[in-house]
């Protein structure tokens, strides 16, 4: 049977619950878009107009032409991020194209503003070619203080980010990779602290070798995790496999110190941590085979790889990507503060040190309130963004990538 299609233009979807079609609050909220441009200065009379536009604006333009760095002081460049996508990996919807991605990009932009005080502009590109995306963003870059890559499929996302950061002197950050990794590390650090262990004592298994899985694995190892095995549809990413892409081959060189081979179930036997970023379902016996006091972070949306009811039978700490269960691994805990901190000091890039500082600051917000049900703060905790912002700015200065 064909899926029922709700007409987004129906009166029912803007509040007329008596119409034939059911009221859908999602369509009602999105009608007309979720964001707009707002002036920060008044235009009340001809004097205001002459300052905001001609002739007054010419003085500012001329000053910037003579001293290009003044653009940060006299435009919004230092407080605005481009949210760039090609629509190839949108949420759980996949390759739905640039137009269909816009509601998500608008959503990302308003999260930047709401949680980090950072302005953001959605940019959906009508190309999936790596070099065309890179060239387009490079040409747009003079208008922005940073670039947030969003919902671009792997493995192209790795190459796009690398090339852009090589060509630009502003932060480039693929949130699907690094935002997820930062929040995961923060939750894992607190889970380890709760159990009296260090990261170095833990062996983790990640299901999913896409953008998030690869980034999480690398980042956790950078932060001191003992070992991690990554699995894809064909099993454990290991050196003995001959079907690996270049990205997975590189991953195989730095992960799986235990030399495991076989399936996800094989990897989970005796493991301390499960991190799911792949969808699918992990069989209950595989979860039961994990080490005592294990942590299960099943982050697929809307259906976690391991339902919390099942995970709680065997795990000491359970986290998901959903807001209706405790310990939500949500990127909004990271990216607004990371960019706010980077923009605050006009950083040329976002480094591993800055990301680790963000994770540590995020974990520290929990403080002495740490419990199995609270290893990561809520996105609505007002302490989060200021803590992450300050930590990232300080790390940028210490590492020498800050320019003020």
């Amino acid at each position: 049977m064909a899926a029922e299609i709700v007409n987004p233009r129906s009166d029912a979807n803007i509040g007329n619950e008596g119409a034939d079609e059911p009221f859908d609050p999602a369509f009602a909220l999105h009608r007309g878009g979720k964001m707009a441009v707002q002036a920060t200065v008044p235009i009340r009379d001809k004097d205001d107009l002459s300052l905001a536009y001609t002739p007054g604006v010419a003085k500012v333009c001329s000053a910037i032409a003579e001293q290009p760095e003044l653009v940060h002081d006299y435009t919004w460049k230092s407080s605005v991020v481009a949210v760039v996508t090609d629509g190839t990996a949108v949420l759980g919807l996949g390759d739905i194209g640039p137009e269909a991605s816009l509601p998500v990009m608008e959503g990302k932009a308003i999260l930047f503003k709401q949680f980090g005080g950072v302005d953001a502009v959605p940019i959906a590109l009508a190309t999936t070619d790596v070099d065309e995306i890179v060239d387009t963003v490079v040409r747009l870059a003079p208008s922005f203080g940073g670039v947030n890559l969003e919902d671009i499929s792997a493995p192209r996302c790795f190459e796009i980010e690398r090339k852009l950061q090589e060509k630009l002197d502003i932060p480039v950050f693929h949130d699907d990779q690094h935002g997820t990794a930062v929040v995961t590390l923060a939750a894992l650090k607190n889970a380890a602290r709760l159990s009296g262990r260090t990261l170095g004592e833990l062996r983790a298994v990640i299901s999913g070798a896409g953008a998030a899985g690869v980034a999480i694995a690398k980042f956790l190892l950078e932060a001191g995790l003992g070992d991690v095995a990554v699995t894809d549809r064909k099993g454990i990413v290991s050196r003995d496999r001959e079907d690996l892409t270049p990205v997975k081959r590189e991953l195989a060189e730095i992960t799986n110190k235990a030399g495991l081979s076989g399936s996800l179930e094989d990897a989970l036997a005796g493991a301390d941590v499960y991190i799911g970023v792949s969808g699918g379902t992990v069989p209950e016996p595989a979860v039961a085979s994990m080490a005592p006091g294990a942590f299960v972070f099943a982050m697929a949306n809307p259906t976690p790889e391991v339902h919390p009811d099942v995970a709680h039978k065997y795990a000491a700490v359970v986290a998901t990507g959903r807001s209706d269960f405790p310990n939500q691994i949500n990127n909004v805990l990271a990216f607004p503060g990371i960019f706010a901190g980077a923009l605050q000091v006009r950083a040329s890039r976002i480094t591993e040190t800055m990301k680790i500082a963000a994770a540590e600051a995020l974990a520290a917000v929990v403080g002495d309130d740490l419990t199995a049900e609270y290893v990561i703060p809520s996105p609505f905790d007002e302490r989060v963004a200021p803590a992450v912002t300050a930590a990232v700015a300080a790390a940028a200065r210490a590492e020498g990538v800050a320019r003020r």
Side-chain angles (χ1 to χ4, degrees):
M1 179 182 294
E4 179 182 357
I5 298 175
V6 177
N7 178 6
R9 297 185 178 277
S10 168
D11 288 342
N13 288 320
I14 56 173
N16 183 4
E17 296 179 355
D20 292 338
E21 296 180 20
F23 172 74
D24 190 323
F27 281 108
L29 182 142
H30 283 79
R31 182 176 288 277
K34 299 193 292 286
M35 58 185 294
V37 173
Q38 181 177 342
T40 60
V41 297
I43 307 293
R44 298 162 299 195
D45 51 36
K46 65 181 182 62
D47 292 331
D48 288 344
L49 182 60
S50 69
L51 290 173
Y53 203 54
T54 185
V57 73
K59 298 178 183 179
V60 180
C61 292
S62 297
I64 294 172
E66 293 178 7
Q67 300 181 61
E69 67 275 10
L70 292 178
V71 69
H72 297 283
D73 297 311
Y74 295 107
T75 72
W76 75 337
K77 180 180 174 72
S78 279
S79 62
V80 66
V81 170
V83 181
V84 178
T85 189
D86 63 0
T88 55
V90 181
L91 296 179
L93 303 174
D95 185 355
I96 60 175
E99 289 85 359
S101 76
L102 271 176
V104 177
M105 300 310 114
E106 287 183 2
K108 196 79 172 190
I110 64 176
L111 294 179
F112 264 111
K113 188 66 172 180
Q114 176 72 24
F115 292 100
V118 174
D119 289 299
V121 177
I123 299 175
L125 301 179
T127 178
T128 60
D129 181 84
V130 167
D131 290 330
E132 288 183 358
I133 291 172
V134 170
D135 290 346
T136 301
V137 175
V138 167
R139 286 170 171 78
L140 291 170
S143 296
F144 299 99
V147 176
N148 184 91
L149 300 174
E150 189 74 17
D151 292 351
I152 298 173
S153 63
R156 296 174 311 113
C157 59
F158 304 115
E159 186 178 4
I160 290 169
E161 183 184 47
R162 177 181 58 78
K163 287 186 173 182
L164 282 173
Q165 194 62 88
E166 288 173 354
K167 291 175 179 289
L168 298 176
D169 65 347
I170 58 175
V172 178
F173 186 86
H174 185 207
D175 187 50
D176 300 323
Q177 294 182 58
H178 310 302
T180 308
V182 166
V183 183
T184 301
L185 174 59
L188 186 58
K189 286 176 72 70
N190 275 339
R193 178 163 69 95
L194 183 67
S195 68
R197 289 177 283 178
T198 66
L199 290 180
E201 298 175 78
L202 303 177
R203 178 174 73 84
V205 176
I206 298 174
S207 64
V214 171
I216 292 170
K218 291 181 176 180
F219 191 55
L220 293 183
L221 289 172
E222 180 79 17
L225 185 71
D227 192 15
V228 59
V230 182
T231 66
D232 61 12
R233 291 182 179 87
K234 296 182 179 180
I236 298 169
V237 175
S238 57
R239 295 182 183 182
D240 59 354
R241 280 180 49 181
E242 298 180 355
D243 60 343
L244 299 180
T245 65
V247 170
K248 292 179 182 180
R249 194 173 303 117
E250 177 188 355
L251 192 64
E253 292 297 322
I254 62 172
T255 61
N256 192 23
K257 298 174 187 175
L260 302 174
S261 59
S263 65
L264 169 65
E265 289 83 352
D266 294 323
L268 280 175
D272 302 294
V273 185
Y274 168 73
I275 297 170
V277 284
S278 64
T281 301
V282 179
E284 184 171 343
V287 181
S289 75
M290 295 178 68
F295 313 141
V296 172
F297 294 0
M299 299 188 289
N301 268 317
T303 305
E305 295 91 345
V306 183
H307 192 279
D309 292 344
V310 173
H312 278 297
K313 294 180 183 179
Y314 312 103
V317 176
V318 177
T320 72
R322 290 175 50 148
S323 60
D324 54 348
F325 291 107
N327 296 326
Q328 183 190 19
I329 307 294
N330 191 329
N331 288 16
V332 77
L333 288 164
F335 69 81
I338 289 174
F339 267 100
L343 293 174
Q344 185 180 95
V345 298
R346 296 180 190 167
S348 58
R349 62 188 60 244
I350 294 171
T351 65
E352 293 300 299
T353 300
M354 293 161 70
K355 290 184 286 185
I356 289 175
E360 291 174 345
L362 183 55
V365 170
V366 171
D368 294 336
D369 296 324
L370 178 65
T371 68
E373 300 287 293
Y374 182 55
V375 298
I376 198 76
S378 163
F380 295 98
D381 188 325
E382 294 182 355
R383 299 172 296 171
V384 167
V388 173
T389 299
V392 169
R397 290 192 177 104
E399 200 166 6
V401 297
R403 287 176 287 196
R404 74 169 181 184

